Each structure stands twice: as C-alpha cells, then as structure tokens.
Amino acid sequence: KEDGRVSSVSVQQLIEKISYVNKAKMIDHIGGVEEGAYEIYNCVEKIIKQDILGCEMTELEGKDLGNKEESTAPEEEVFGDVLWDAHDEQEQMEAFQQASNSTCELGFEKYFERLNDLVAAPAPIPPLLVSGGPGSGKSLLLSKWIQLQQKHSPNTLILYHFVGRPMSTSSESALIIKRLTLKLMQHSWLVSPLTLDPAKLLEEFPRWLEKLSARHQGSIIIIIDSIDQIQQAEKHMKWLIDPLPVNVRVIVSVNVETCPQAWRLWPTLHLDPLNSKDVKSLINAECNSANVKLTKEQEKKLERHCRSATTCNALYVTLLGKTIACGGNTGNIDEILQQCFQCQDTVSLYRLVLRSIQESLQSDKEKGLLREILCVIGVSHNGVSESELMELYPELSSAVLASLIHSLHRMCLLTYGCGLLKFQHLQAWEMARLEYMEEGENVISAYRQKLVEYFTMQLSRDRVTWRSADELPWLFQQQGDKQKLHKCLLNLFVSQNLYKRGHFAELLSYWQLVGKDKSSMAAEYFDSLKEYEKSCEGEESMICLADLYETLGRFLKDLGLLSQAVAPLQRSLEIRETALDPDHPRVAQSLHQLAGVYVQWKKFGNAEQLYKQALEISENAYGAEHPRVARELDALATLYQKQNKYEQAEQLRKKSFKIRQKAARRKGSLCGFALLRQRALQLEELTLGKDTPDNARTLNELGVLYYLQNNLETAELFLKRSLEMRERVLGPDHPDCAQSLNNLAALYNEKKHYDKAEELYEKALDIRRRALAPDHPSLAYTVKHLAVLYKKMGKLDKAVPLYELAVEIRQKSFGPKHPSVATALVNLAVLYCQMKKQIEALPLYERALKIYEDSFGHMHPRVGETLKNLAVLSYEGGDFEKAAELYKRAMEIKEAETLLIGGKATSRHSLSGDTFSLKSALSPNVFLEHGQR
C-alpha cells in the first residue's frame, strides 16, 4: 500500500482473497526487496516460535512494562531448571507427522488389535517387540496406532520417540531418556531438579517412571521406534528388562536382523510381507495420483515380481509405485517395469531412482551438484539446510536447488527435519554411500572437511548458532582431530549452546575424547572466560559475560564440582547486579542457581537466604501468581523437605501448585501453547464494548503484548486507549492511570523519545507518590526508571533526589542494614562522583562498606569493590597513605578470589556464607565509571 491506499487493482484483488483465508498473514511493505524479505523472515520466525513451538510469553496482565528482558522468560524456564532443546522436540513432532503421512493402512487392522490387547493385558507385562525388515512399515504402523489411541483413549498418556539415522542426535540414549522423563514430569505437574549426568540419568529413569506413573490417572504407553539404532542400545536401555509399573506399557520396534539377542524373548509382533492385494492397492494409489493407468498384464507382472521378502515390503512397493508413476507420463511403462524388475531390494531400487533423476538433469554441472548435495548431507551429523548448501556451493542457484530437492523429496530420498535436509530412510543413505562414497574413507573425509571449513568460517565471524555447535565438534570427533576438537570446545559460545540445549552428555563425551578429566576441564574453561572478560566493554557484553559465567557454574554443578561452581555463579550475580539492577529478574536467576549449589553442598542456611531473595525479586517483577514465583516456592519447599520441615514444605507446594494450575488454565497446557497472536485478536474483540475498568486493563495488556512483539506503533495505540479509558472511568489520579503512563513512558524510552518518556514518568511518579505506600514496589519501579532516564539525559541534578528516594524506599522495605540498601547507597555515590561531588560520595561509600562487611563478611568481593572506590576517592582527595591502605585491602580480597579460581582455596568458604568472585582487576578510574547501579 502507498499512503494507506492500495497501489493497484491486482493488489486489491489479492487482499480480498486473503481476507477470506482463516490463517493468512499479510505483511504490508514498500521498499527494497531485502528489507521486505527481512520483514517476512521476522514475521515467520514469530509464527514458528509462538504458534507452532508454543514458546509462551509470560503472563502480563496488570504488570508494568519495562525492559523487555524483564517481561519475557527464557525458553529453558518451561521446565524449571531443566535445560530443554526446542529443536529436538520439533524434530520428534515432525518425525511423527512424517511417519503417519501415508493414507494406505496396508492391512494394519490385525496389528492394531494385537497392540490394543497389550494395553488391556493385566500387569506385569514385558515390552512388546514390533519387528520387521527395513522398510516394512513399522514406523507407519506405530504412528497410525498412536493417532487411534489419542482419539479413543484421551486418558492414556502416550510418549513416543522416533530414532533417526544412527549417530544422529535422535539416537543418543541420554537425550532420549531425558526427553521421556521431562514429558512425564510435564504431565504429572511435577517440577523437580533432574540430573544431566548421563550415567545417573539412565540409572534413575526406572525410579522416575515408578514415581510419576503413580501420579497419573490412566495408562502410560511409551513407544520407541527403531530402538536398535540407538548407540549401545542394550547397555543404555537396561530399564526395559526391569519389571514395569502396573499402568505402564512399552512398545519398541526393531529391525529383525539387528535386534539384541536378550530382547528376542519378549512377546513379538512381526510385520508380515505385504500380500498381493496390498501391493496392488499401494501401486495403484501412486499411479492414480499421476493419472497413469496400468494394463492387466502389467499388474500381473508386478504381482509376480513382488513375492520375495525384499520386494514386498512397504517401502520397496511405495518406491516402485512412485517410480512407475513418475516415469509413466514421459516414458514407456513396460521399459520402466523391466528396469525395476532388475532391482531385487530397496537399495538397488533407490539406485535406479537416483539414475533416473540424474538423466533428467540438463548438464554435467547439475549432476555434479546432485552428488555434492547427497554426499554433504550424508556425512553431516543431523542434516544440512538449503541456505547452508547455497553458501557451500555458490554456483548452485536457488532454481536448480529447488528442482533437485523437489525430485529427491518426491522420490523418498530426502526429507525435512527442523528445517534441515536429511535422508528419509536408512536405505536411501546406504544407497548414496554405495553410489558416491565407495572409494572409502578418503572421500567421506573430504566432504567432512568441507563442512568443517564452512562452520569454522562461521565461528571466525562470531556466528555461533545451534547449527555450528551441533555439527563442528561432532565432525572433529569423526575426523579424529583431537586438537581442533579441543580448541572448538574452548569456544565458550559453542559449549554454552550445547549445554543450554541440554546436550550435556554429548559435551562430556567430547571432553573425554580429548583426554581431559573434570578438574582440568573446569580450569581450562576458567582461563578462557578470564581471557574473554578482558575484551568485554559496555553493558551488552557484560550481560553476555554474566550468561557465560552462569552456564559454567551450572555445568560444574552438574559435574559434581560444587566448590568450583560457586565462583562463576557468584561472578554472574555481581555482573547482573551492576549491569542491570539489583532487583532485575536475571539477578533472581543468579541467586536461584547459586542456591542450588549450596543445596547440593548441604549448606542449607545459605541456600534458604538466596532462595528467599530470588522469591522476593520474582514477586516484585512478575506478581505473586507467576510461574517464576512457583519455581522459587518449589525450590524452597524441596529445601525444607531435605531439612525435615515437612509442614512448611507442604504449604509452599500447595501455593506453587495453585499458581501452576492457574497458569496452565491460562495457557491451555503446562508447556504453554496459548498463541500470542490469537490472544491479541481475542482481546481486540473484547475491547469493542463500552468503557469499563476491565476493558481498560485488557487494552493495557494488548499494548504490552504488541510491545513484546516489537510492534511499537500498535502498542502505542493500545496503551494510549487504555490511558484515556482509565482517566474517563477511574479519574486521572487513579493508580491504574499511573500504570498506563509508566508503560507509555517505557515505550517512548525504547523509541528514544526521551522528552516524552520523562514527562510521562514524572506524571506516573506524582500519582504513585500520592496513592501508594512509601515502600510500595510500583513506586520503587517508577523512581528507578525515571532516575536512570535523568542520568541518561545528563540531568544529574534531577536524578539525585530520586536516587536518594530509592535509598529511603529500600530502607523502609528491607531495613537499614540490608545489602540492597548498600547497593542503593553505592548508586547514589557513583552519581555524586560523576557530578564531581566527592565529599558527598565519601560517607555513602563508607556506610555501604559497613553494611557489606556486616552482611557478607570482610573478604567478600563487594567489600573489595567498595574499598577500591574509597581508595580512589582518598587518592583524589590527596590522602595517599589512606588510599594505599584501602587499595592493599582490596587487593588481598582479589588475591583470595584468584586462589579460589585456580581451585587452591576451596576451604576458604566459611560457613557464614562468604563467597569469592571472578571479578577481573579493573583500574580505579574504570571502576568508578561502571559502579554498581
């Protein structure tokens, strides 16, 4: 559209057509093609995250809109402290959909009855083995039966896992067991810490199964397809041999040739070869879709051919039907049949299919590209994306790539999983290996090297994506290049990516391969982080550094290195308090993780204090009924239970359960598949009525929702409407009006319209001062944000009274000797230093120092930081002797930290809770600029 008007008749017709489509999304854009493509990309990304993966935005109703990071929960929070990979989950959903795509049932009714009998049989009962040759239809049978069960038995919980190619992520036993455990926890309303140690995970799974099945009203069916493709399946799936809980049934499918000997004693459902009727119907279905008619004679020939075990399995017959249908329109059917009859198994038929695709290509260049595509996909860990292929092969045009992929996909060679191209069946992969890589390891190694160079180049450009983290270490492992693998693991962002997506076992196996034990691994990560910290400048890089320290701390905790885990988590906490704010939700995250270490260390007093602080911050930031609050309540309850304080634990668990129940009702499920866009549309409909406080609140929520989608114009529209309605209905001095003013101010701040933001924050502050208690969190919130804005605008004189008020509010809220009061005093002192008022700053630093020493002990990093600031003030005031003394004390604390980092001073942790940090030595001048806020 131009100036809000449609630019042509054809565009008008298109818009009219779109308006009748239920789930169409229209993007209005004028300008360059690249900008348009970027807008579309952003839109599609949001749809995928919110509508498909269900990455739920946090509940916003009635909340203030501040920093966007405060309002959105990281995806890992869905399962509390458990790290979860959306890609792995998406891959499983797609595998299930692809397995159930076929419309042909292939006489499965008799198998469905047998599977139903298993579910109804009295316990105890061993797993049922579904066996058959490669391509016999095991995945199709199980996926179709799952659909029937979901339809007819809604109380039955079905957990499935489809194993892909051997050595792919989907075949890693620790990830499979973790995923099944989390699914059970999700459906049992249970949020508990879960070990990431692969050996413990496998050992504890039977106990989890027993515990969680007891909480489920109804049967639980666990289905693992192609279980024999799991690496060391017999060793890692020992729990299958144990007696199962009474309401649990397990079904596993195996290739008849590779089934472990011990499992052959289990009750078995063997898939028979297809009978002639099924063969005929499957081939006719493929031919009819392409308008190809077979003669009676041709049908008889096909029937005679499809009689051996290898020529009458479901995959072979499907491929045969596709080959005839594809060639029937362009060639002689009898000739095609003659070629097919030379192929006595699926792999040889795939070779024929590949040759027919090669013949359809116009040039040797395209044939060469076909080979490259299949080989590079074949040697990858989890597949390759289209964009990666085009970057790997610049001569490959999008038109040629689209044509090749269409042919390969249509003929069951390739499929998509998580946006990656991969082989659809093991036999297709085997065919590509025989066709192109028979010369041996040298050819495979050359293609792996091509991928290594590509992903290494991405790392050199600071592009650490889940793709480079998934592929690069694995490729080095396959190449046996321990030196490069070691270097790759020390890229902090690669290791962080793997760990945060729950690939702990994989990360550990890489370190074991390079011959490093846990302690040396920890020391090397510390050294890398210290080196990286030297290059960190500015708020954004410090926040990123805090995330890296937190990841390291959690990783060390999972390794059982508790004394070494404290230091990085403490450092993460300090950075966040300085770079963000002491009451920022990410500070609560740091407190929570640090408390978790103390729980494992059995220092329950320390842990309780930290959990309570995290709870207080979460309640202030999100409100008392948010899932983050439930997480802190659960953690405290678990802590009390360990101390045999059962009554307190039970009270907190009940409170947490109510919050989770409410959240689940709001979202539709615990995972949160409430769709943000859909919610916005529903709310828009609700606000068409008359002026009411509820409608005004809904408009406010809409504004926040659109703000979170970065749609600032629409957000501004709804926030203004909310403010106007509240002023009409409630009066201009009502606290709800202050909320709308506050949200609009935050929006203008985001748009860098600082004058407008200042005016609105001032109005909001005026209302809240008159309407709320002097220690109310909402008042503190506005004071803080207006003070930061004044500082940003250089209006330091205006900022001073607000920073003073912040000190007063914290004193009233927490008492005069609380550490958060000390932090507020330091903030004010830093401001005075910026105004060259060192005399006013000095007593504030001294008071903060006393509070820190009384709260944390004389050797705490915050004491050291405050001493360093005082040393600078003394030096600038001409008292060099005092400055030297203060600086010496600060350095002693720093040296104690350094000893701890090297693992030499773990005994220095006193029972009073003193901890040490990893803070790098900063020059006094630099420290004053970046003082605690």
Side-chain angles (χ1 to χ4, degrees):
K1 297 179 186 179
E2 290 178 21
D3 302 323
R5 294 177 187 173
V6 175
S7 56
S8 69
V9 175
S10 58
V11 172
Q12 181 61 49
Q13 289 170 345
L14 176 66
I15 290 170
E16 284 170 6
K17 284 181 185 175
I18 288 171
S19 65
Y20 292 110
V21 180
N22 184 26
K23 288 193 176 179
K25 173 77 177 172
M26 185 167 68
I27 297 163
D28 180 20
H29 171 71
I30 288 177
V33 174
E34 286 190 11
E35 288 173 17
Y38 182 72
E39 279 197 30
I40 293 167
Y41 176 88
N42 283 341
C43 176
V44 172
E45 186 181 39
K46 281 174 191 168
I47 291 168
I48 289 166
K49 283 182 175 174
Q50 294 160 16
D51 295 15
I52 298 171
L53 293 180
C55 299
E56 171 64 73
M57 297 297 181
T58 58
E59 177 64 19
L60 300 153
E61 189 169 280
K63 289 304 294 170
D64 274 329
L65 183 160
N67 186 312
K68 274 190 278 187
E69 287 194 58
E70 292 186 30
S71 305
T72 53
E75 286 165 35
E76 67 184 71
E77 294 300 327
V78 169
F79 288 99
D81 291 331
V82 180
L83 300 162
W84 179 255
D85 189 358
H87 294 112
D88 293 346
E89 190 55 31
Q90 185 186 345
E91 185 181 37
Q92 282 304 309
M93 292 193 291
E94 288 177 4
F96 171 63
Q97 286 160 2
Q98 285 168 9
S100 56
N101 264 345
S102 172
T103 52
C104 299
E105 297 295 341
L106 305 175
F108 281 168
E109 288 78 9
K110 58 185 178 187
Y111 302 131
F112 290 157
E113 286 175 22
R114 180 74 193 278
L115 291 166
N116 291 338
D117 290 343
L118 168 87
V119 176
I125 186 166
L128 176 72
L129 212 59
V130 175
S131 77
S136 56
K138 301 182 291 292
S139 304
L140 178 61
L141 167 68
L142 291 174
S143 59
K144 291 285 186 188
W145 184 71
I146 289 169
Q147 287 177 330
L148 286 172
Q149 284 292 314
Q150 287 171 336
K151 186 177 177 182
H152 299 301
S153 307
N155 288 335
T156 299
L157 171 60
I158 300 176
L159 307 177
Y160 59 78
H161 189 90
F162 288 81
V163 179
R165 202 178 79 186
M167 295 170 69
S168 68
T169 301
S170 66
S171 68
E172 289 176 16
S173 53
L175 282 177
I176 294 169
I177 294 300
K178 188 188 82 171
R179 181 176 171 270
L180 294 175
T181 309
L182 288 175
K183 286 286 185 185
L184 279 166
M185 285 167 67
Q186 175 194 333
H187 286 276
S188 307
W189 297 83
L190 189 72
V191 177
S192 292
L194 187 67
T195 179
L196 288 180
D197 184 312
K200 284 183 184 171
L201 199 61
L202 296 167
E203 185 187 307
E204 290 174 9
F205 181 68
R207 291 199 286 277
W208 276 112
L209 195 56
E210 186 76 50
K211 182 178 179 181
L212 297 170
S213 64
R215 298 168 71 105
H216 182 70
Q217 302 296 315
S219 300
I220 296 174
I221 301 171
I222 298 173
I223 295 169
I224 304 176
D225 180 48
S226 302
I227 194 170
D228 49 326
Q229 301 298 337
I230 294 173
Q231 298 153 33
Q232 297 179 293
E234 220 173 337
K235 176 187 171 186
H236 292 139
M237 295 288 147
K238 281 181 182 172
W239 60 275
L240 290 168
I241 300 166
D242 299 333
L244 296 165
V246 289
N247 60 335
V248 176
R249 302 288 180 272
V250 176
I251 301 167
V252 296
S253 77
V254 291
N255 186 335
V256 70
E257 295 158 12
T258 54
C259 176
Q261 197 62 41
W263 297 358
R264 292 174 188 260
L265 302 171
W266 294 343
T268 303
L269 172 61
H270 187 73
L271 267 60
D272 300 323
L274 299 183
N275 59 39
S276 56
K277 182 186 165 190
D278 290 333
V279 168
K280 185 179 176 182
S281 70
L282 199 50
I283 291 173
N284 281 336
E286 291 293 346
C287 290
N288 290 341
S289 67
N291 292 320
V292 172
K293 297 290 179 191
L294 297 175
T295 65
K296 293 285 181 191
E297 184 60 33
Q298 288 165 343
E299 285 182 354
K300 281 181 183 175
K301 283 181 182 177
L302 281 165
E303 191 183 324
R304 282 198 297 274
H305 173 67
C306 297
R307 282 183 177 170
S308 71
T310 55
T311 60
C312 63
N313 75 49
L315 178 56
Y316 182 94
V317 175
T318 301
L319 202 53
L320 184 59
K322 284 182 182 292
T323 307
I324 297 164
C326 192
N329 284 322
T330 53
N332 184 320
I333 291 181
D334 285 320
E335 197 179 305
I336 292 164
L337 287 178
Q338 201 55 45
Q339 291 172 344
C340 290
F341 294 160
Q342 303 299 314
C343 306
Q344 294 298 317
D345 59 40
T346 308
V347 173
S348 58
L349 188 55
Y350 262 128
R351 278 184 124 156
L352 176 66
V353 167
L354 181 64
R355 284 184 191 132
S356 71
I357 293 172
Q358 286 171 335
E359 286 164 16
S360 71
L361 300 175
Q362 295 172 355
S363 65
D364 288 341
K365 180 186 171 184
E366 287 182 6
K367 288 173 186 174
L369 287 168
L370 172 66
R371 172 195 174 114
E372 296 297 301
I373 288 169
L374 290 175
C375 288
V376 88
I377 291 170
V379 301
S380 67
H381 188 197
N382 288 314
V384 181
S385 74
E386 288 181 38
S387 59
E388 286 165 353
L389 284 171
M390 292 184 75
E391 287 179 358
L392 281 161
Y393 300 100
E395 70 275 22
L396 178 61
S397 70
S398 56
V400 170
L401 178 62
S403 174
L404 287 173
I405 289 171
H406 173 69
S407 301
L408 294 167
H409 189 267
R410 181 180 55 174
M411 298 308 293
C412 302
L413 274 119
L414 295 184
T415 186
Y416 287 93
C418 259
L420 303 178
L421 288 161
K422 47 187 76 179
F423 285 102
Q424 194 159 335
H425 295 282
L426 275 172
Q427 292 92 321
W429 179 53
E430 179 67 16
M431 177 278 300
R433 198 178 58 77
L434 291 169
E435 187 73 13
Y436 292 132
M437 296 180 265
E438 228 178 341
E439 294 166 36
E441 201 55 44
N442 289 342
V443 178
I444 294 170
S445 185
Y447 281 109
R448 281 192 185 135
Q449 188 56 35
K450 190 168 184 69
L451 282 175
V452 163
E453 287 167 8
Y454 171 73
F455 287 113
T456 303
M457 183 179 69
Q458 284 200 336
L459 288 194
S460 68
R461 294 174 183 167
D462 291 331
R463 278 176 64 195
V464 181
T465 61
W466 68 280
R467 290 290 298 129
S468 47
D470 260 4
E471 293 289 334
L472 202 50
W474 184 85
L475 287 163
F476 286 137
Q477 182 192 46
Q478 297 305 304
Q479 296 280 59
D481 194 333
K482 293 182 183 180
Q483 193 176 350
K484 284 184 180 171
L485 173 59
H486 187 202
K487 187 182 174 186
C488 180
L489 293 173
L490 288 175
N491 181 311
L492 298 165
F493 295 98
V494 170
S495 293
Q496 182 187 48
N497 194 296
L498 282 170
Y499 176 77
K500 289 192 89 167
R501 286 169 40 235
H503 292 223
F504 178 87
E506 188 182 338
L507 190 55
L508 207 53
S509 70
Y510 293 144
W511 276 105
Q512 286 164 350
L513 185 72
V514 296
K516 300 287 179 181
D517 62 13
K518 291 177 182 180
S519 295
S520 56
M521 181 168 66
E524 288 192 30
Y525 271 137
F526 273 130
D527 291 341
S528 291
L529 254 174
K530 282 189 284 182
E531 196 59 37
Y532 176 76
E533 185 165 0
K534 290 175 187 174
S535 66
C536 287
E537 288 180 12
E539 190 174 290
E540 200 173 315
S541 62
M542 291 305 285
I543 292 167
C544 176
L545 179 67
D547 291 344
L548 287 168
Y549 272 121
E550 185 191 289
T551 302
L552 176 58
R554 294 177 71 171
F555 183 57
L556 296 177
K557 182 184 83 169
D558 289 329
L559 286 170
L561 303 173
L562 300 180
S563 60
Q564 283 152 289
V566 169
L569 288 172
Q570 181 71 39
R571 179 70 182 121
S572 170
L573 173 64
E574 287 160 13
I575 294 169
R576 283 173 177 167
E577 285 184 325
T578 304
L580 294 167
D581 230 17
D583 53 356
H584 192 283
R586 288 209 175 183
V587 172
Q589 167 76 359
S590 291
L591 292 164
H592 180 93
Q593 296 301 338
L594 194 52
V597 175
Y598 283 126
V599 170
Q600 281 194 24
W601 214 352
K602 296 196 168 37
K603 292 192 172 185
F604 298 136
N606 295 12
E608 184 177 358
Q609 184 188 356
L610 294 168
Y611 277 141
K612 282 180 174 176
Q613 284 178 6
L615 176 63
E616 187 181 319
I617 293 170
S618 296
E619 282 180 335
N620 286 337
Y622 297 112
E625 295 195 339
H626 192 277
R628 290 274 192 102
V629 173
R631 181 181 81 149
E632 303 306 337
L633 291 169
D634 277 325
L636 267 171
T638 305
L639 177 66
Y640 287 143
Q641 200 159 346
K642 286 179 185 291
Q643 296 171 279
N644 301 326
K645 298 176 181 177
Y646 298 114
E647 197 174 325
Q648 286 168 274
E650 189 56 30
Q651 282 175 350
L652 293 177
R653 284 212 193 282
K654 280 179 181 172
K655 198 173 171 185
S656 163
F657 183 77
K658 281 180 185 174
I659 294 170
R660 292 187 187 282
Q661 216 170 19
K662 273 187 184 176
R665 277 201 292 270
R666 281 196 300 264
K667 293 175 182 177
S669 74
L670 190 64
C671 235
F673 286 91
L675 311 178
L676 187 60
R677 176 67 185 145
Q678 199 172 304
R679 174 74 174 133
L681 288 171
Q682 289 166 352
L683 290 173
E684 283 181 38
E685 286 168 20
L686 289 173
T687 58
L688 297 174
K690 56 186 178 181
D691 289 3
T692 65
D694 281 347
N695 271 353
R697 192 179 71 248
T698 304
L699 284 165
N700 179 64
E701 185 185 343
L702 266 168
V704 177
L705 286 169
Y706 280 114
Y707 177 90
L708 290 175
Q709 295 176 77
N710 214 24
N711 188 343
L712 301 184
E713 278 67 33
T714 312
E716 184 180 352
L717 183 76
F718 282 111
L719 290 172
K720 278 182 173 176
R721 280 180 61 193
S722 170
L723 175 60
E724 287 162 8
M725 194 181 288
R726 280 174 165 171
E727 285 177 338
R728 282 196 302 271
V729 176
L730 302 167
D733 294 332
H734 194 278
D736 284 3
C737 294
Q739 185 193 61
S740 292
L741 288 163
N742 204 91
N743 287 350
L744 265 172
L747 184 136
Y748 287 132
N749 190 23
E750 176 86 1
K751 293 171 82 171
K752 296 186 169 51
H753 296 170
Y754 298 132
D755 290 337
K756 284 186 180 179
E758 179 186 3
E759 183 189 344
L760 295 173
Y761 272 138
E762 284 174 348
K763 282 185 182 176
L765 180 59
D766 182 51
I767 294 169
R768 285 180 165 172
R769 261 181 159 158
R770 284 184 280 113
L772 302 175
D775 59 346
H776 196 282
S778 293
L779 177 61
Y781 180 94
T782 307
V783 166
K784 175 180 75 178
H785 285 281
L786 181 55
V788 171
L789 181 64
Y790 281 149
K791 198 172 169 187
K792 195 187 288 182
M793 295 170 77
K795 298 184 177 182
L796 303 186
D797 289 329
K798 278 189 153 187
V800 169
L802 291 180
Y803 276 106
E804 288 172 344
L805 181 58
V807 174
E808 281 177 42
I809 291 172
R810 289 193 184 182
Q811 283 182 159
K812 284 171 183 165
S813 300
F814 307 116
K817 295 181 180 179
H818 194 275
S820 69
V821 174
T823 305
L825 289 165
V826 170
N827 292 343
L828 182 56
V830 169
L831 186 66
Y832 278 136
C833 286
Q834 285 181 333
M835 298 168 76
K836 309 294 182 203
K837 293 185 176 181
Q838 276 79 3
I839 295 169
E840 285 88 340
L842 186 62
L844 298 172
Y845 274 131
E846 287 172 342
R847 190 176 152 204
L849 177 66
K850 178 78 169 69
I851 295 170
Y852 282 145
E853 284 178 335
D854 291 347
S855 301
F856 299 129
H858 289 266
M859 294 300 285
H860 193 275
R862 285 205 201 159
V863 172
E865 289 160 7
T866 313
L867 285 166
K868 207 183 288 181
N869 284 347
L870 279 166
V872 174
L873 283 181
S874 299
Y875 184 85
E876 289 175 351
D879 192 342
F880 303 126
E881 196 175 323
K882 187 179 179 185
E885 184 193 331
L886 291 166
Y887 195 75
K888 184 185 174 189
R889 278 185 62 199
M891 287 302 99
E892 283 170 3
I893 296 171
K894 178 70 189 168
E895 282 165 21
E897 289 177 51
T898 311
L899 282 173
L900 177 69
I901 292 162
K904 296 170 188 170
T906 51
S907 61
R908 298 279 303 269
H909 285 277
S910 72
L911 292 174
S912 66
D914 285 356
T915 51
F916 301 88
S917 83
L918 288 160
K919 191 151 184 95
S920 62
L922 293 161
S923 72
N925 294 332
V926 171
F927 188 78
L928 267 179
E929 285 173 30
H930 296 280
Q932 289 169 325
R933 285 169 40 204

